[in-house]
């Protein structure tokens, strides 16, 4: 699929997830066929004040292209200024986060709190679109709560002010990630706008991916939690789309090898201490459902070096644990 002048290999994307979709994970997902990856959300205000950590989140490696940078904030002028800065980046597009439900984000009127301010959404999208030479997209939710379902209204406003595509997560902010995603709202947004619509919510395998497209007519799908500890999900979905067959899950040995590679990449990028701390949650996701997973997870959370974890995983692979 294409939007603006960007050619994307397929219609299965990786959702931006704070603390998850860093460069190593994005590369692994691209290797498994993911059509488009997104950075973790980046604070526009942080970049405005030259925060080193915020700027580091916008780095994109050649192996992961095409990749989008997702920014968040509530000040149209600051967001536009950062979009202008990102003209020099390797991002293929700029996505604006209007869906994050985290209290530390929404209390500042950012993320999904913007769903309560359609007027401000219009100002933000217009300012960023005028400032950026790259296509600008937005990611929204169904609404703030069940009494304010306004995704269709917001999508129209975003399109009118220059958005080139819109991602819809079929939950309200008050739902966070609980309950069932409402795919009907994605369908309604698709029917209301002429720009591409990306459906998001409750895709954990090939059949859900197929149903989401069939039921909503969305142009692409975005996989979030279904990719945690499971970069293979992209390969499985694409294979199913092409053949109608479902690939076997990776073996425990394949999972261990992927964990080790993922960890090595993370440690190389962020150093031993931060890399290991961040890798622990990934390991929990990778080994979920495997034998003695709880025991291995508890051991991992007490280890502090890459070599210690590799030794543990090799013992596990050899059946010694």
């Amino acid at each position: 699929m294409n939007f603006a002048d960007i050619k994307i290999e397929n219609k299965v994307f990786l959702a931006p997830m704070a603390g998850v979709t860093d460069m190593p994970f994005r590369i692994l997902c691209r290797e498994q066929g993911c059509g488009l990856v997104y950075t973790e959300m980046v604070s526009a205000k942080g970049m405005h004040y030259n925060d080193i950590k915020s700027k580091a989140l916008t780095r994109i490696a050649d192996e992961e292209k095409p990749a989008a940078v997702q920014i968040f904030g509530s000040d149209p002028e600051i967001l536009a200024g950062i979009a202008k800065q990102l003209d020099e980046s390797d991002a293929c597009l700029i996505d604006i986060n209007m869906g994050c439900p985290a209290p530390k984000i929404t209390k500042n009127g950012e993320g999904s709190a913007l769903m309560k301010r359609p007027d401000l959404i219009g100002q933000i999208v217009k300012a960023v679109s005028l400032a950026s030479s790259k296509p600008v997209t937005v990611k929204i939710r169904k609404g703030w709560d069940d009494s304010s379902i306004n995704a269709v209204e917001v999508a129209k406003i975003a399109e009118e002010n220059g958005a080139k595509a819109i991602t819809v997560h079929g939950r309200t902010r008050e739902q966070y990630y609980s309950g069932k995603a409402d795919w009907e709202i994605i369908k309604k947004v698709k029917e209301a706008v002429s720009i591409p619509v990306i459906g998001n919510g409750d895709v954990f395998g090939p059949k859900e991916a197929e149903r989401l497209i069939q039921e909503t007519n969305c142009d692409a799908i975005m996989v979030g939690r279904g990719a945690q500890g499971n970069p293979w999900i992209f390969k499985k979905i694409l294979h199913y789309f092409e053949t109608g067959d479902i690939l076997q899950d990776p073996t425990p040995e394949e999972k261990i090898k992927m964990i080790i590679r993922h960890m090595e990449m993370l440690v190389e990028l962020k150093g031993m201490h931060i890399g290991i701390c961040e890798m622990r949650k990934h390991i929990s996701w990778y080994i979920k459902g495997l034998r003695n997973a709880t025991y291995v997870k508890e051991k991992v959370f007490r280890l502090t070096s890459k070599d210690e974890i590799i030794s543990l995983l090799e013992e596990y692979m050899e059946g010694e644990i």
Side-chain angles (χ1 to χ4, degrees):
M1 68 171 290
N2 299 331
F3 44 82
D5 58 350
I6 303 168
K7 185 175 181 180
I8 297 168
E9 293 173 11
N10 59 65
K11 54 188 176 185
V12 188
F13 302 168
L14 172 66
M17 292 179 280
V20 179
T21 57
D22 53 22
M23 186 190 294
F25 188 66
R26 298 194 304 264
I27 290 172
L28 295 177
C29 291
R30 278 289 290 139
E31 288 176 355
Q32 295 296 322
C34 178
L36 178 64
V37 297
Y38 290 68
T39 66
E40 302 170 72
M41 62 181 192
V42 182
S43 168
K45 193 176 293 183
M47 287 192 66
H48 179 72
Y49 291 107
N50 297 311
D51 177 64
I52 294 173
K53 291 182 179 178
S54 296
K55 287 194 171 186
L57 292 175
T58 68
R59 284 183 53 208
I60 292 170
D62 288 341
E63 305 97 297
E64 59 178 298
K65 295 176 183 176
V69 168
Q70 188 186 68
I71 58 177
F72 74 94
S74 58
D75 185 314
E77 187 175 337
I78 289 177
L79 283 159
I82 297 313
K84 187 73 174 173
Q85 282 185 33
L86 290 170
D87 277 348
E88 304 303 316
S89 76
D90 288 322
C92 66
L93 62 86
I94 307 301
D95 189 65
I96 307 170
N97 182 300
M98 300 179 181
C100 178
K104 68 179 181 179
I105 303 297
T106 58
K107 73 179 181 182
N108 296 321
E110 301 168 339
S112 56
L114 288 170
M115 297 298 293
K116 297 190 286 186
R117 298 281 309 277
D119 57 329
L120 181 56
I121 285 175
Q123 294 170 34
I124 287 171
V125 176
K126 185 174 184 178
V128 175
S129 296
L130 289 172
S132 177
S133 65
K134 300 177 187 289
V136 174
T137 64
V138 298
K139 187 171 191 289
I140 67 172
R141 283 194 168 227
K142 180 179 176 179
W144 176 258
D145 56 27
D146 286 337
S147 65
S148 56
I149 307 302
N150 63 346
V152 171
E153 174 195 357
V154 167
K156 287 180 177 179
I157 289 170
E159 180 181 29
E160 289 165 2
N161 285 281
K164 301 303 182 187
I166 186 159
T167 301
V168 184
H169 183 163
R171 287 182 172 86
T172 65
R173 185 270 179 177
E174 292 301 284
Q175 281 183 275
Y176 284 78
Y177 300 98
S178 66
K180 185 179 179 182
D182 176 11
W183 291 355
E184 183 66 23
I185 194 69
I186 299 171
K187 179 181 179 182
K188 289 178 180 176
V189 170
K190 174 61 183 170
E191 291 170 347
V193 299
S194 59
I195 56 177
V197 173
I198 304 156
N200 178 218
D202 291 352
V203 175
F204 293 97
K207 292 191 175 180
E208 293 101 329
E210 180 182 57
R211 281 199 304 107
L212 177 55
I213 292 173
Q214 289 176 342
E215 292 180 18
T216 68
N217 198 33
C218 63
D219 300 278
I221 60 170
M222 185 174 277
V223 182
R225 289 173 297 150
Q228 292 176 351
N230 186 24
W232 299 275
I233 192 171
F234 299 99
K235 184 177 181 180
K236 291 186 73 172
I237 291 172
L238 292 169
H239 183 80
Y240 182 72
F241 283 175
E242 292 170 8
T243 69
D245 297 327
I246 295 181
L247 292 172
Q248 293 291 317
D249 288 335
T251 65
E253 290 74 19
E254 288 172 326
K255 289 189 174 186
I256 297 303
K257 287 178 182 177
M258 184 70 85
I259 289 171
I260 292 172
R261 179 153 179 254
H262 190 166
M263 178 170 58
E264 288 175 338
M265 293 167 71
L266 204 49
V267 168
E268 182 179 357
L269 179 68
K270 301 185 179 183
M272 185 68 75
H273 178 69
I274 295 175
I276 294 304
C277 287
E278 294 190 1
M279 191 63 204
R280 289 169 179 158
K281 63 178 177 288
H282 288 284
I283 293 174
S284 297
W285 293 326
Y286 276 113
I287 67 173
K288 185 178 180 180
L290 297 184
R291 62 174 179 80
N292 296 332
T294 302
Y295 174 78
V296 174
K297 174 183 169 183
E298 290 172 353
K299 291 275 284 185
V300 163
F301 272 75
R302 291 198 292 268
L303 300 177
T304 57
S305 80
K306 180 180 72 173
D307 290 342
E308 289 175 330
I309 294 175
I310 290 174
S311 294
L312 173 70
L313 294 173
E314 286 175 344
E315 287 179 28
Y316 178 68
M317 215 168 17
E318 290 167 7
E320 296 176 14
I321 294 176

